[in-house]
Structures are given as structure tokens and as C-alpha cells.
Amino acid sequence: MKNIVIFISGRGSNMQAVVQANIPGVRVAAVLSDNPDAAGLQWAAAQGIPTFARRTGDFASRADFHRAMLEVAEQYRPDLVLLAGYLKILPGEFCAHYQGRLINIHPSLLPAFPGLHTHQRAIDEGCRLAGCTVHFVTAELDCGPIIAQGAVPVYDSDTADTLAARVLKIEHQLLPQAVADFAAGNLSIRGKRVHNRRTAGEAGQNGAYGK
Ligand code: GRF
């Protein structure tokens, strides 16, 4: 059984998608947050999943905060740490500790639009496609080897909210699939590229296409 610890900051719909996928061989051991008011924490607790939350402001520094979070995460002996809508930037030592077993979902087609406000930026740039990326985390923000990407069209009538909703549907497919692939040992990192044993016969397609 692979233990997963999931970090969230808010709603937690991606975390819910992973839990509800009931992935064989995977146990969501705990949900941690930098926001005690995160709605996703209540949902997780109602499923009987242990939760833990602290604010960064309760610590002398952001590094101290993440040291404390790492200590809590370690209690669950995670095989995988998942950042599912976690909004804090992780210090290098945290990324190094979980190297190769730290996965993030980002709401853009990386390397386009790292950081925040990705949907508005895609609209402002006139992109015809937008999407999301599931990737291994390295110390550099929203970089790291890409596991899977999903694309959706951008319509002329889109607002950041309508586009976000379209992308989110794809996120909810890609993230549980990436976790399942990780747990099954299908993923190996080769430089910048992630090889997926499951899709290797399909010319390495690890994508989703929404409408
Ligand atoms: C998602 O779009 C995720 O990609 C981004 O923040 C959003 C979080 O949504 N990082 P949720 O908390 O999973 O519902």
C-alpha cells in the first residue's frame, strides 16, 4: 500500500478527485494545509482522513513553517506527497527531501504561465488552447518533469472563471491517473522527460482533451 499525503490551501476538489478515485494500492494517509479554514479539510475529515493545518504566520519564517509541515507529513511515511491546489512556495530543502515523490498540479500548459492568474493570462495572450499540467516538483517554481497535460479550447466569450471551470474538469481526470501511474511504478524520470510504462505503447501520450 502506498501512502499519500496531500497538501491543499482551499476548496480541495483535486484532493477529492484523488480520494474518490479509490486507486488500488493507494491510501490517502493525511491532508495538510496552510489554511485552517480550507473547505477541503472538512471534507477530508468527514471521510475519516486525518487532517492538520497551521498558518505560516504562527511561525518565525516560512522555512520554519515548512519544516514543521514536513515533520507532520513524515509521521505518515509518505511514498508520495501531492500538492493539489497548495498555494505556498516550498523551500528547496522540502523539495529536495521529497525529490522524485513530490507531484503538483498546475492550471496551465507549462512552461507557459507559471505562477498565478494563469487563466486570465492565457485569455489576455489570445491563446486558443489552455489546460493543466501534472509534474514532479523541483525547487524551481512550476518547473520539473511533466507527467501529463490536458488541453481545452479557449472561447472568445471566456472569462477567467469559465475557463478555470473547463480546465478543472480535466484536472480531476489527470491527477488521479497520475497518482495511479506513480503508485503502479509506471513513471520514471529521464532528464526533463517522464517515461510512462502504461502509455509507452501509445507513443507516450499522457494527455486529456476537454471541451
Ligand atoms: C486548481 O486549479 C489547481 O490546479 C490550482 O488551484 C486550483 C485548486 O483547486 N493550483 P482545488 O482546491 O483542487 O479545488
Side-chain angles (χ1 to χ4, degrees):
M1 191 59 82
K2 303 273 186 210
N3 284 328
I4 303 192
V5 170
I6 306 181
F7 280 65
I8 64 168
S9 290
R11 179 178 54 186
S13 68
N14 277 294
M15 174 270 296
Q16 289 187 31
V18 170
V19 172
Q20 287 173 330
N22 283 317
I23 302 162
V26 166
R27 182 172 78 102
V28 177
V31 175
L32 274 50
S33 184
D34 61 325
N35 173 15
D37 300 326
L41 286 175
Q42 281 185 18
W43 186 88
Q47 316 304 308
I49 300 169
T51 62
F52 178 87
R54 285 284 183 282
R55 292 188 194 283
T56 44
D58 298 339
F59 294 81
S61 68
R62 193 171 285 197
D64 280 356
F65 167 77
H66 280 108
R67 238 169 258 136
M69 294 303 261
L70 190 142
E71 226 169 82
V72 175
E74 281 299 287
Q75 290 169 15
Y76 298 96
R77 302 187 176 281
D79 297 287
L80 173 65
V81 171
L82 204 56
L83 308 177
Y86 184 66
L87 299 178
K88 290 281 183 310
I89 296 175
L90 292 166
E93 60 180 294
F94 189 105
C95 300
H97 183 88
Y98 288 118
Q99 195 186 2
R101 50 192 179 117
L102 182 59
I103 288 177
N104 180 44
I105 182 148
H106 180 77
S108 79
L109 292 169
L110 291 171
F113 311 126
L116 297 174
H117 310 301
T118 54
H119 304 301
Q120 190 58 54
R121 286 157 69 200
I123 291 169
D124 291 347
E125 291 296 336
C127 295
R128 309 312 310 194
L129 290 173
C132 59
T133 303
V134 181
H135 65 99
F136 284 107
V137 175
T138 57
E140 210 181 329
L141 180 68
D142 295 330
C143 281
I146 291 172
I147 299 166
Q149 290 187 303
V152 300
V154 181
Y155 298 118
D156 291 342
S157 57
D158 266 329
T159 63
D161 286 346
T162 59
L163 180 55
R166 195 173 307 121
V167 172
L168 195 65
K169 282 193 203 159
I170 301 288
E171 294 185 42
H172 294 165
Q173 296 172 28
L174 281 192
L175 193 59
Q177 182 62 66
V179 171
D181 279 332
F182 180 91
N186 287 337
L187 305 180
S188 49
I189 302 172
R190 299 177 182 177
K192 265 278 185 189
R193 217 166 172 85
V194 176
H195 179 262
N196 187 330
R197 202 172 53 185
R198 179 179 58 84
T199 57
E202 303 160 27
Q205 273 309 336
N206 301 306
Y209 308 93
K211 343 181 236 232

